[in-house]
Amino acid sequence: MPVSEIITTKEDVDAFRDSCVLLRSQWEHFTTLFEGTELKRELLQTTAPIFFNDLHRLFVEHLVLHICRLTDNAQTMGRKNLTVKFLIEHSDFSAAPDTLEKLKRISADIDSFRELILPARNRFISHLDLEAVRLGDPLGAASTDKWKQFWLDLQDFLDVMHRHHIETDGHFYLNGIGNMSDADSLLTALRNAKLFHAVMSDREIGTRALRAADTSKFAGDL
């Protein structure tokens, strides 16, 4: 039975799931923009280097914070937190002990990933630790394989919780949700702008292109 009078509700699981979907969407934005070929990096750096460097840092910090929030203890400073641990501790698995054991194993694996990124949250993001700043060593790095395993573990956790609290015969696959990012449209637009600039560098073609552009509805101020 749950360890206190607070019982996990369907709405709690829905809210936790939605937060995980948002996290996954933000991860998709990040990887679409900042992971891949050298040509992609050059495209961003030659378009707006300050903006994209700042955006990269903002994404990293927010992803770390978001994951740490989802994996915090069930209670801190007397307040309940909607986290992996809370959902396990405040759900009734008395009729499903095998499910509880599975969730505990998944939670332990998720905790292992949390431990990798937690120093970055504690010493650089939530606080600006003087010793960490002076040492200048990177904190919170995790390998590609570790990240992949984290997403698989989180997906398994959500799927088990979905079937326990919401739909017994249903499934919820976090990593299978489509259309979570349209950041590729931004990259396409930037690429097209670069190609247009290359075309415009040819005087003859450029003159004809300008005439066509002048007739576009986007020719005026936005």
Side-chain angles (χ1 to χ4, degrees):
M1 292 295 292
V3 298
S4 80
E5 71 281 1
I6 299 178
I7 307 298
T8 296
T9 67
K10 172 184 178 296
E11 289 72 25
D12 294 333
V13 176
D14 282 339
F16 185 84
R17 176 205 60 203
D18 291 346
S19 187
C20 292
V21 170
L22 177 60
L23 173 66
R24 180 68 190 188
S25 177
Q26 292 161 347
W27 171 256
E28 293 290 339
H29 297 327
F30 174 75
T31 55
T32 300
L33 288 175
F34 299 110
E35 293 189 356
T37 65
E38 287 294 330
L39 188 60
K40 183 193 293 186
R41 283 186 279 274
E42 182 179 345
L43 175 63
L44 300 183
Q45 288 300 306
T46 57
T47 300
I50 296 174
F51 171 76
F52 283 113
N53 284 338
D54 287 348
L55 185 62
H56 181 276
R57 184 180 182 123
L58 287 170
F59 265 121
V60 170
E61 291 187 355
H62 184 73
L63 287 166
V64 169
L65 279 173
H66 199 147
I67 293 171
C68 287
R69 285 202 304 267
L70 295 175
T71 57
D72 274 338
N73 289 328
Q75 179 172 308
T76 53
M77 301 179 66
R79 303 289 299 180
K80 297 296 183 183
N81 301 314
L82 184 55
T83 66
V84 169
K85 291 184 177 67
F86 173 88
L87 292 175
I88 294 176
E89 293 175 12
H90 294 271
S91 296
D92 184 1
F93 293 104
S94 57
D98 290 344
T99 299
L100 177 58
E101 288 306 310
K102 180 177 182 178
L103 286 171
K104 286 181 177 179
R105 290 194 299 270
I106 295 172
S107 178
D109 290 339
I110 290 175
D111 265 346
S112 295
F113 181 81
R114 170 190 167 91
E115 290 303 311
L116 293 176
I117 65 173
L118 190 61
R121 194 277 293 268
N122 290 345
R123 303 184 70 182
F124 278 135
I125 301 174
S126 295
H127 308 279
L128 196 57
D129 183 83
L130 179 61
E131 180 184 11
V133 171
R134 287 180 172 178
L135 288 174
D137 295 331
L139 298 174
S143 68
T144 300
D145 287 342
K146 294 292 186 181
W147 274 101
K148 288 180 179 178
Q149 188 59 50
F150 164 74
W151 290 116
L152 291 173
D153 291 335
L154 186 60
Q155 175 173 264
D156 287 345
F157 178 82
L158 290 172
D159 186 51
V160 174
M161 277 293 169
H162 178 86
R163 283 185 280 118
H164 187 76
H165 286 282
I166 298 175
E167 188 179 2
T168 304
D169 297 324
H171 291 282
F172 181 78
Y173 297 129
L174 175 66
N175 302 325
I177 301 176
N179 301 318
M180 298 191 77
S181 174
D182 55 3
D184 56 332
S185 297
L186 173 59
L187 292 174
T188 299
L190 295 177
R191 179 176 179 271
N192 289 342
K194 293 289 186 183
L195 293 174
F196 179 75
H197 184 269
V199 170
M200 291 292 288
S201 64
D202 183 303
R203 181 173 298 179
E204 181 179 351
I205 297 176
T207 300
R208 294 167 60 188
L210 279 173
R211 290 172 182 166
D214 285 341
T215 64
S216 171
K217 65 181 179 180
F218 295 109
D221 294 335
L222 294 177

